[in-house]
Amino acid sequence: MVKMLLLVLSICFGLTSCMDFDESTLITDDNGKVHHTKHYLRDRRGKNYFPKEIKATGTKEFIFDPKASVWAAYDANGVLVMTGSGSGGKDFCEDVGKPCRTVTGSFHVYNKRGLECKSGEYPVETEGGAKMPYCMYFYRGFTIHAAYEVPEYNSSHGCIRVLPSAAKWLNEQFITIGTHVTVLSYQDEDGDVDWVNVKAPQQAATGQ
């Protein structure tokens, strides 16, 4: 019995170590520094925030809430598949001298690129070039992409930043051209009516 327990613990430790050092958890910033980030399967942010099921729309759904800095992925049947940390656009960006919140509303992914994706706008000094690995465009220049910093507040120029391993999973295994994207309202806005209507009837009724 003891040998069996030790074997199980050894396997679990091995899997955990593999997860921690999965290459998708590594990301290189614009200065060439490599950052080791949390694996998306270890990311607890958002786990208890979203309903387990929403009204099925027949298409996959990616939902981001800038009020809580979290995202959720639902399959075409409205079943919650994954959640994770996200960081949207700041109220004001000093380098461009204007607000840079993430656009809110309902959109669809129309283009996506892989690991080598880069911004066409930032940094402003060079008119682009900032790394945006696994970018997924859903409205004009707004994308969902990997970042080494995904704080519990909005910190970007407008894009939705997610953990590198999450961006890879979303890009390669979940999001396709046409996937529906919903960006909920900011704290001082009141634009989540459509999201409330999308919730599964029993959850909308109980407010879960």
Side-chain angles (χ1 to χ4, degrees):
M1 188 67 172
V2 175
K3 288 183 178 179
M4 181 63 72
L5 180 59
L6 290 173
L7 178 60
V8 171
L9 289 174
S10 176
I11 292 172
C12 290
F13 179 76
L15 290 175
T16 300
S17 299
C18 289
M19 186 185 296
D20 285 341
F21 294 98
D22 185 306
E23 64 177 13
S24 68
T25 63
L26 303 176
I27 183 171
T28 305
D29 65 24
D30 295 321
N31 296 316
K33 181 179 179 180
V34 178
H35 300 262
H36 181 218
T37 61
K38 182 186 298 183
H39 193 278
Y40 75 94
L41 292 178
R42 283 176 165 268
D43 184 12
R44 305 300 300 172
R45 201 193 308 174
K47 290 294 181 186
N48 300 313
Y49 186 79
F50 293 97
K52 300 300 182 186
E53 185 178 356
I54 60 174
K55 184 178 179 182
T57 61
T59 182
K60 289 182 288 187
E61 305 272 345
F62 176 90
I63 298 167
F64 171 66
D65 193 339
K67 295 184 292 300
S69 298
V70 291
W71 60 265
Y74 289 88
D75 66 20
N77 296 314
V79 177
L80 183 64
V81 177
M82 191 64 64
T83 61
S85 301
S87 180
K90 297 189 290 186
D91 289 335
F92 189 84
C93 289
E94 295 77 10
D95 56 343
V96 293
K98 63 180 181 180
C100 50
R101 286 182 171 184
T102 305
V103 61
T104 59
S106 179
F107 314 94
H108 289 88
V109 171
Y110 67 88
N111 188 19
K112 64 177 190 172
R113 300 175 192 164
L115 187 61
E116 301 306 315
C117 182
K118 294 183 179 180
S119 172
E121 295 181 64
Y122 301 103
V124 289
E125 315 87 66
T126 58
E127 298 182 345
K131 294 183 177 182
M132 302 194 313
Y134 302 110
C135 60
M136 293 154 275
Y137 286 83
F138 61 90
Y139 180 75
R140 296 184 179 176
F142 291 91
T143 79
I144 304 157
H145 68 79
Y148 61 90
E149 288 185 314
V150 188
E152 293 188 54
Y153 56 87
N154 296 306
S155 60
S156 79
H157 282 93
C159 289
I160 300 170
R161 296 175 176 175
V162 300
L163 293 171
S165 55
K168 186 175 190 296
W169 176 80
L170 286 165
N171 186 288
E172 296 181 350
Q173 299 185 48
F174 184 78
I175 287 179
T176 56
I177 302 302
T179 295
H180 190 230
V181 173
T182 297
V183 181
L184 301 178
S185 64
Y186 278 72
Q187 195 67 49
D188 59 352
E189 300 172 336
D190 184 20
D192 292 349
V193 176
D194 290 341
W195 161 243
V196 172
N197 291 338
V198 166
K199 285 186 179 181
Q202 67 273 21
Q203 292 170 320
T206 59
Q208 295 179 345

